[in-house]
């Protein structure tokens, strides 16, 4: 089985020590050449897609963790599109803080400008402070966000599909530009949105952008099962990942979809060294450059307790975490952190070092990383991995130069792109 | 005096016959290579900027006029940024149908991804049908739109300036990433918006994107005088242009700004031929391929009367136009059309052919076009022109290859870019 590999670009690296560890300026993450190099490197390894996170606020970051997804993802991905030919370009964007017409047009534009390589990672946004930049009312509760997200996805997909494939006539002799009978108004009137449509843009080469989704809650899983092509998830164990994949695929079938129309891609943070000791040294240096203060604040936010409730050399206060009925954050990140800490009996400090930005972390040689990937794949736990790169560009170069060739030898990864669109390259069924 | 020249890209050309006239596919306007070629051509001529319009609706277009600004301007400009080094990249975006935090981040991202070459053309949107894609309530009245626009600009500029120049420390040795004392929350609470800030992004190389504005009404002129760096306007005569420039510069002084901090750039549609007859033949062929039906609908929309009120071989119904108290469209386009029709005593049909997409039109040799430009410049009527290209790429290639060299010989146009940012190249004063 050949798997999907994507690479997440979050500032200068997923590890918050990356800006001090890597060569290059601390503000390279706003330089276009930085993104051009990343895109070309990932495409040289035939990775399926670049995956950009989205940061709509820096107040909670307090600037101690400069791994910011600070740029508009669609603008950044458009630059990467211009420097590449085949790799997919997936941007995160919030259903809570956008208008569906604008978002649909933005990602449809990226899809055209990349000739069918765009993807949208639909999120509802779980960082409370973001709301302060959009009207000042509190972040809506989880269920409210998901109700809006569902309607938002209906509108966006409706707009993307408002031009039939045969609508683009372009007959210069007769002067028929479009077959207007094949371009359909949406006339959506719902609880949250009223959108007439149609889209200003024809269908793209892949029909419409690929939809990524990352919710782990009940509502999140159901949303993914109904709408998503790819589910990005945080899973620490093969057992949990298998259970998650089985559940989401079952839900997809419940929505009348083939189970394999939905690809399950957990995060994986590899820290690569030519020996295990070298990998561990890289990890230790990154950790030392980072410190624990800002990490502790991030963990507190993720598990939904005040930072004062976390003691570095004590276990995670699991009872307190479970008692938080009003939790508005990411269930996926919270549950994965609790699972990892309790299963391995970790102190808070140990959890901070063991936790790869909320995702499974493997510190080792290319062989050891390939072994982990192979084990998970053979167990049927995943359709691939979204690689959290610790520090750019070296972390990505290590993957492309050393891990990808091993995966190819083991027949776990394609030698080249299957086609020219992201939908084709991910092995997704064609659109109806 | 050296003038500013920008080029507007609107689909396949400003002339609605362009898609049938030009070589190439009718849907080239969603192809990235099309934009890459335009950007490189314009940069080869050292044009100051590419200027993208914004179309948020196609229902009123009825697909008969495929000169659509159908793509998201910022995404398209990001692709053009990746193919160029010096040319400015100006995108239109609506203050009525965006959130200021998202728009500020999008254009700041374009500014970083182009290393300081971005501009934002702030519009309030005058096409009523657009409202149907954003909630279904009617387009707000002119004054309401401008009240929102004013607050919107305050927020966007506030976000763009929320990081002081010295905030980006990036000291790896000490671990100081940002001087947090130099990054300021906005804490804006106003009638339309509540935005905490700060921006997620540091200042760009030019400080912040250049602001273009295009309002001709009282509110529009005053908004331009307060906030804009460049005013794009529709003017048919030297006298009207001079009066407009004098008025807006006077208003700028009233806002405590130097008069020459504001550059006045009317639209100009050149139709170029190596002889006058050749230019006229190009124009006639374009007109014939276009027909008058869709043009008539567009004109009706622009002057604010039902299409049935326009008779092709009668004069424009000026009294009816002036009697429309509830007019919500662009005052600039309406007034320019009325002025042109009455001054030259044109029938509606003649107006359709004389009107260059709402702008002054010159059909002739490169010398004749350079003569017009020189006359307007010598009269002190303008700081430059925003060139409406009739059909891409030939209309742009003609300008770059034949008109620009003549302007250089006459010392009316720079031989090369003055610097690397749009602000520098436009001769704007540095930001405080």
């Amino acid at each position: 089985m050949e798997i999907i590999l994507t690479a997440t670009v979050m500032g200068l690296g997923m590890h918050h020590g990356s800006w001090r560890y890597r060569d290059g300026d601390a503000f390279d993450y706003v330089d276009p050449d930085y993104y051009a190099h990343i895109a070309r490197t990932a495409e040289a390894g035939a990775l399926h897609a670049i995956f950009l996170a989205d940061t709509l606020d820096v107040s909670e970051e307090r600037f101690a963790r400069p791994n910011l997804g600070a740029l508009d993802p669609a603008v950044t991905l458009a630059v990467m599109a211009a420097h590449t030919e085949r790799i997919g370009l997936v941007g995160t964007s919030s259903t809570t803080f956008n208008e569906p017409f604008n978002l649909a047009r933005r990602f449809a534009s990226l899809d055209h400008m990349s000739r069918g390589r765009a993807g949208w990672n639909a999120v509802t946004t779980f960082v409370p402070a973001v709301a302060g930049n959009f009207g000042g009312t509190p972040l809506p509760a989880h269920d409210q966000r998901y109700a809006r997200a569902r309607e938002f996805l209906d509108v966006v997909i409706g707009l993307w599909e408002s031009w039939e494939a045969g609508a683009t006539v372009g007959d210069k002799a007769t002067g028929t530009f479009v077959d207007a009978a094949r371009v359909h108004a949406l006339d959506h009137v719902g609880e949250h949105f009223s959108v007439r449509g149609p889209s200003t843009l024809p269908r793209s080469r892949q029909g419409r952008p690929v939809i990524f989704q990352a919710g782990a809650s009940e509502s999140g899983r159901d949303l993914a099962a109904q709408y998503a092509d790819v589910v990005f998830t945080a899973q620490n164990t093969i057992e949990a990942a298998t259970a998650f994949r089985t559940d989401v695929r079952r839900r997809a079938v419940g929505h009348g979809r083939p189970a394999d129309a939905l690809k399950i891609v957990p995060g994986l943070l590899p820290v690569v060294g030519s020996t295990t000791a070298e990998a561990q040294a890289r990890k230790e240096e990154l950790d030392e450059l980072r410190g624990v203060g800002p990490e502790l604040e991030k963990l507190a936010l993720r598990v939904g307790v005040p930072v004062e409730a976390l003691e570095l050399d004590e276990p995670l206060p699991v009872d307190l975490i479970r008692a938080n009925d009003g939790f508005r954050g990411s269930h996926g990140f919270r549950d994965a952190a609790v699972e990892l800490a309790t299963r391995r009996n970790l102190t808070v400090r140990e959890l901070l070092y063991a936790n790869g930005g909320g995702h499974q972390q493997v510190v080792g040689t290319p062989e050891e990383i390939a072994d982990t990937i192979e084990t998970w794949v053979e167990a049927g736990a995943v359709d691939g991995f979204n690689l959290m790169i610790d520090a750019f560009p070296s972390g990505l170069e290590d993957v492309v130069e050393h891990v990808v060739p091993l995966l190819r030898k083991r027949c776990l990864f394609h030698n080249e792109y299957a086609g020219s669109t992201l939908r084709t390259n991910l092995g997704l069924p064609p659109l109806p």
Side-chain angles (χ1 to χ4, degrees), chain A residues 385-397:
Chain A
F385 289 97
N386 186 359
L387 300 173
M388 310 283 107
I389 303 300
D390 56 354
F392 285 100
S394 62
L396 178 63
E397 289 162 354

Side-chain angles (χ1 to χ4, degrees), chain A residues 36-299:
Chain A
H37 178 72
I38 287 173
R40 288 199 199 100
T41 302
E43 184 165 270
L47 299 195
H48 290 76
I50 295 287
F51 184 95
L52 288 200
D54 192 30
T55 298
L56 290 169
D57 172 68
V58 290
S59 67
E60 285 183 358
E61 304 273 340
R62 301 192 198 157
F63 302 110
R65 292 187 288 113
N67 68 336
L68 307 169
L71 296 157
D72 182 297
V75 168
T76 314
L77 290 168
V79 170
M80 294 168 112
H83 290 287
T84 53
E85 295 287 335
R86 295 296 191 97
I87 194 163
L89 304 155
V90 183
T92 302
S93 198
S94 172
T95 56
T96 303
F97 297 111
N98 281 285
E99 283 280 344
F101 191 87
N102 287 335
L103 186 142
R105 190 177 67 136
R106 192 170 321 127
F107 281 87
S109 297
L110 179 65
D111 212 13
H112 282 291
M113 290 297 99
S114 63
R115 295 206 174 94
R117 296 187 280 138
W120 169 39
N121 179 38
V123 299
T124 70
T125 305
F126 61 78
V127 178
V130 170
N133 289 325
F134 295 90
T137 53
L139 184 71
H142 184 271
D143 287 353
Q144 288 176 280
R145 298 203 309 273
Y146 272 91
R148 178 181 161 111
R150 187 170 292 280
E151 189 180 335
F152 197 110
L153 276 150
D154 280 333
V155 172
V156 167
I157 293 170
L159 288 168
W160 284 343
E161 297 188 341
S162 60
W163 291 54
E164 294 179 31
T168 52
V169 180
D171 185 335
K172 295 182 183 182
T174 62
T176 304
F177 176 62
V178 157
D179 180 352
R182 296 191 175 183
V183 183
H184 307 286
L186 194 62
D187 291 328
H188 173 93
V189 179
E191 191 184 342
H192 302 85
F193 308 110
S194 170
V195 179
R196 192 194 53 242
S199 169
T200 60
L201 287 162
R203 289 171 92 83
S204 78
R205 292 198 186 195
Q206 64 175 346
R208 58 170 168 79
V210 172
I211 296 175
F212 284 59
Q213 207 272 350
S217 65
E218 276 295 308
S219 334
R221 289 175 189 217
D222 213 53
L223 194 78
Q226 186 174 351
Y227 297 97
D229 300 303
V230 183
V231 181
F232 172 39
T233 173
Q235 302 292 341
N236 291 315
T237 67
I238 287 177
E239 294 69 31
T242 306
F244 178 82
R245 182 166 181 258
T246 304
D247 178 64
V248 180
R249 284 162 62 99
R250 183 184 55 72
R251 290 173 195 245
V253 172
H255 284 285
R257 304 175 65 196
D260 64 359
L262 199 54
K263 309 297 182 186
I264 314 300
V265 178
L268 173 66
L269 193 152
V271 183
V272 188
S274 59
T275 64
T276 309
E278 197 181 292
Q280 280 166 346
R282 177 179 172 105
K283 168 78 168 122
E284 279 161 23
E285 189 177 344
L286 279 162
D287 286 347
E288 191 173 319
L289 288 168
R290 177 187 65 183
V292 292
E295 288 304 298
L296 201 64
E297 291 187 24
K298 180 177 172 182
L299 180 64

Side-chain angles (χ1 to χ4, degrees), chain A residues 16 55 57-62 65 125-130 139 145 293-310 316-317 321 324 326-335 337 348 352:
Chain A
H16 300 141
T55 298
D57 172 68
V58 290
S59 67
E60 285 183 358
E61 304 273 340
R62 301 192 198 157
R65 292 187 288 113
T125 305
F126 61 78
V127 178
V130 170
L139 184 71
R145 298 203 309 273
E295 288 304 298
L296 201 64
E297 291 187 24
K298 180 177 172 182
L299 180 64
L301 187 68
R302 288 213 162 162
V303 298
V305 299
V307 68
E308 299 75 24
L310 300 179
L316 206 58
I321 291 167
N324 181 357
F327 181 67
R328 298 192 171 199
S330 158
H331 289 242
F333 280 133
R334 182 192 64 179
D335 298 349
V348 167
L352 293 181

